[in-house]
Amino acid sequence: MSTKWSPQEVIHRDYNNHPPAYAPGYKTSVLRSPRNALISLQNSLSEITGPVFSQQDIGPLDNDLILNYAKDGLPIGERIIVHGYVRDGFGRPLKNTLVEVWQANAGGRYRHKKDQYLAPIDPNFGGCGRVMTDENGYYFFRTIKPGPYPWRNQVSDWRPSHIHFSIFGEAFAQRLITQMYFEGDPLIKQCPIVQAINNDDAVRTLIAELDTHAAVPLDCLAYRFDLVLRGQRATLFENRTQGAAR
Amino acid sequence: MKDYLPETASQTAGPYVHIGLAPDAAGFHIFEKNFGPTLVNSHTPGERIAIEGRVFDGSGTPVRDVLIEIWQANAEGRYNHVADRQEGKSLDADFRGWGRACSNFDTGVWRFDTIKPGQAVGRDGRMMAPHVNLWIVARGINIGLNTRMYFSDEQEANAIDPVLNLIEWEVRRQTLIGHKETRSGETVYHFDIYLQGEKETVFFDV
């Protein structure tokens, strides 16, 4: 992070772009959603700051899910690159920010002791990775396209293929976890987790587009997925946040 | 607003969040360096404390697949971030001020080992009482929940804290107090979080 970064308040969150806490079609949300309204805070130093990470925190193969757990061969499945830019709401690149991802393997099975789905584990696929964005907010990683999988919501519910994303930004108030879906997947329209978002434009922010220009010929395809965190604004007339850099 | 890019929509972290954010908890070792619940090393200045608790759902059942992150200032009340230019407070470059913990799959208990933060300046120059920010994600939580933990042995500072005083229902302020316990010489602040119901914790839109 640049030492010249000047702190600004984080724009209030537009909840129309997000799923509500209580979304009964997604059954687990029923007992895990607060009944009281959130209490809105004006930002203090506590919210406009957040943890800083560096390349030293991660390893050189961490963004290559094809190789980072390969034991005696390559994982099975569609080889893909996922890449894009992380920006704030004003289009400014979010530099040197940590992006973490996790996913199922090509058959929709997670390497997790709680996943009992009968599709097999791939001995050469772990399913997690992480990467720091560069000076332009750009990130990329390489992986196997995850398969859809069934889950206990309604008994016939299946998740679309997806990759989970976790992003930090510069302020703890920007912290976000989301899921990336793949262009054209017919399960997207039927998924109670996706459809908890009551806004088609917001759903579209989660769908990665096939990007043949970034594909590596005879090797792997590519998907483009850009992320936007909340913008940070300069305070014009009111006092700047106390204790913050000028 | 026309040129403003909408924030990417949130989605639940799901039941397998550990794979990405705490793979050893998921049951496999992959990264050489891992993030965890210990914020301190042997040189960190400040009073050593643990923060421990459980998260409960609306039926009173512990949430056993929750992931919690904390963000806090150092012992002098300074955040390890370029935006913090509070005067007269030194920075401990080794203390990131951030940690990540998973609840135990059987008991639901999570725990951080950290130091007690000092007071940082709040809005309008009023000092905030010592506090730790928490961010909670899990299966069933569509968008991460933000809350704060304050300290039961800071009653004077808590009484004039600008954020606690924003909560007009005084009875709800108590949901943000971590309770000090001493266990074989160790200081532990016990902080249970109630997602829903009678004892519901205050959550913030930050």
Side-chain angles (χ1 to χ4, degrees):
Chain A
M1 187 178 301
S2 161
T3 51
K4 286 179 187 160
W5 182 71
S6 91
Q8 292 153 332
E9 294 187 38
V10 180
I11 295 283
H12 70 88
R13 180 164 259 156
D14 183 349
Y15 283 89
N16 293 318
N17 292 328
H18 296 283
Y22 175 72
Y26 173 26
K27 296 182 182 189
T28 312
S29 77
V30 172
L31 282 175
R32 293 186 173 193
S33 46
R35 288 294 172 265
N36 286 283
L38 301 179
I39 293 179
S40 293
L41 297 185
Q42 287 173 284
N43 291 172
S44 71
L45 264 185
S46 195
E47 288 82 32
I48 68 166
T49 57
V52 176
F53 300 94
S54 75
Q55 203 63 46
Q56 277 70 53
D57 289 309
I58 63 179
L61 268 186
D62 283 5
N63 73 333
D64 189 348
L65 285 71
I66 288 183
L67 293 184
N68 70 8
Y69 202 73
K71 304 292 182 199
D72 55 7
L74 294 171
I76 289 171
E78 292 180 49
R79 296 161 60 85
I80 59 170
I81 288 168
V82 176
H83 72 136
Y85 290 87
V86 184
R87 300 189 182 89
D88 80 2
F90 294 109
R92 289 188 283 252
L94 284 160
K95 307 169 184 180
N96 306 319
T97 197
L98 180 64
V99 177
E100 297 165 285
V101 297
W102 69 101
Q103 62 167 91
N105 69 21
R109 174 71 186 268
Y110 282 100
R111 184 177 287 281
H112 190 291
K113 53 186 171 193
K114 296 283 176 190
D115 189 0
Q116 304 293 317
Y117 180 36
L118 51 78
I121 289 281
D122 182 333
N124 293 308
F125 190 69
C128 57
R130 35 193 201 177
V131 59
M132 300 285 298
T133 61
D134 71 10
E135 286 299 297
N136 299 311
Y138 182 72
Y139 76 91
F140 64 94
F141 60 93
R142 187 167 74 152
T143 189
I144 294 294
K145 188 178 175 191
Y149 64 85
W151 58 301
R152 277 189 185 277
N153 191 58
Q154 285 196 286
V155 291
S156 55
D157 279 338
W158 286 72
R159 296 303 323 281
S161 294
H162 63 277
I163 299 176
H164 296 265
F165 272 71
S166 158
I167 316 108
F168 279 85
E170 289 164 339
F172 204 53
Q174 288 174 309
R175 192 79 181 83
L176 185 74
I177 277 185
T178 189
Q179 302 181 29
M180 181 202 103
Y181 304 98
F182 292 84
E183 181 184 4
D185 187 338
L187 288 168
I188 293 171
K189 274 205 288 280
Q190 301 187 12
C191 175
I193 289 178
V194 179
Q195 298 306 326
I197 304 168
N198 301 309
N199 171 340
D200 290 344
D201 291 334
V203 170
R204 270 192 288 276
T205 65
L206 302 183
I207 301 176
E209 290 181 8
L210 181 67
D211 183 356
T212 51
H213 294 308
V216 180
L218 307 177
D219 181 338
C220 67
L221 270 176
Y223 283 86
R224 169 75 179 259
F225 185 55
D226 292 340
L227 291 134
V228 179
L229 300 185
R230 293 156 67 191
Q232 293 176 292
R233 68 181 172 111
T235 49
L236 300 179
F237 289 102
E238 54 194 292
N239 290 332
R240 283 179 182 277
T241 307
Q242 292 281 330
R246 300 279 179 264
Chain B
M1 293 303 281
K2 198 176 164 194
D3 297 326
Y4 191 79
L5 304 170
E7 185 186 10
T8 300
S10 175
Q11 291 274 264
T12 179
Y16 307 127
V17 58
H18 320 90
I19 294 174
L21 306 191
D24 289 300
F28 68 109
H29 186 72
I30 180 166
F31 298 135
E32 201 177 313
K33 296 173 187 168
N34 288 278
F35 301 120
T38 302
L39 285 74
V40 288
N41 60 35
S42 57
H43 309 295
T44 312
E47 180 195 346
R48 295 291 187 285
I49 62 166
I51 302 173
E52 192 181 282
R54 287 186 290 178
V55 177
F56 295 91
D57 73 12
S59 77
T61 304
V63 178
R64 286 174 278 236
D65 52 12
V66 73
L67 183 129
I68 300 185
E69 292 181 355
I70 59 172
W71 170 241
Q72 65 166 92
N74 69 17
E76 295 187 33
R78 179 162 173 172
Y79 292 95
N80 190 350
H81 189 282
V82 289
D84 188 341
R85 300 284 171 82
Q86 293 178 90
E87 284 162 16
K89 294 180 173 183
S90 47
L91 183 68
D92 171 12
D94 277 353
F95 183 72
R96 196 190 323 248
W98 172 85
R100 172 182 281 168
C102 308
S103 56
N104 179 285
F105 288 137
D106 298 318
T107 63
V109 175
W110 49 265
R111 174 190 166 116
F112 291 95
D113 286 291
T114 184
I115 46 135
K116 194 173 175 186
Q119 290 191 272
V121 68
R123 292 187 72 89
D124 309 321
R126 293 164 64 192
M127 294 306 282
M128 294 190 281
H131 67 278
V132 170
N133 282 9
L134 295 94
W135 186 72
I136 301 149
V137 294
R139 175 171 68 105
I141 297 178
N142 284 322
I143 183 163
L145 292 165
N146 286 92
T147 188
R148 286 185 175 199
M149 189 199 87
Y150 289 84
F151 296 83
S152 62
D153 55 341
E154 295 285 346
Q155 288 189 26
E156 275 178 44
N158 292 344
I160 55 170
D161 179 80
V163 170
L164 284 173
N165 280 288
L166 269 182
I167 305 167
E168 60 177 291
W169 311 275
E170 286 179 39
V171 62
R172 299 201 68 209
R173 294 176 196 169
Q174 299 309 313
T175 67
L176 302 185
I177 308 295
H179 293 279
K180 185 175 183 174
E181 296 170 2
T182 306
R183 296 186 206 159
S184 45
E186 183 186 63
T187 302
V188 180
Y189 288 88
H190 189 91
F191 187 58
D192 284 335
I193 295 164
Y194 294 85
L195 296 178
Q196 187 189 96
E198 245 172 79
K199 297 190 254 183
E200 190 172 302
T201 300
V202 168
F203 298 106
F204 295 110
D205 165 25
V206 296

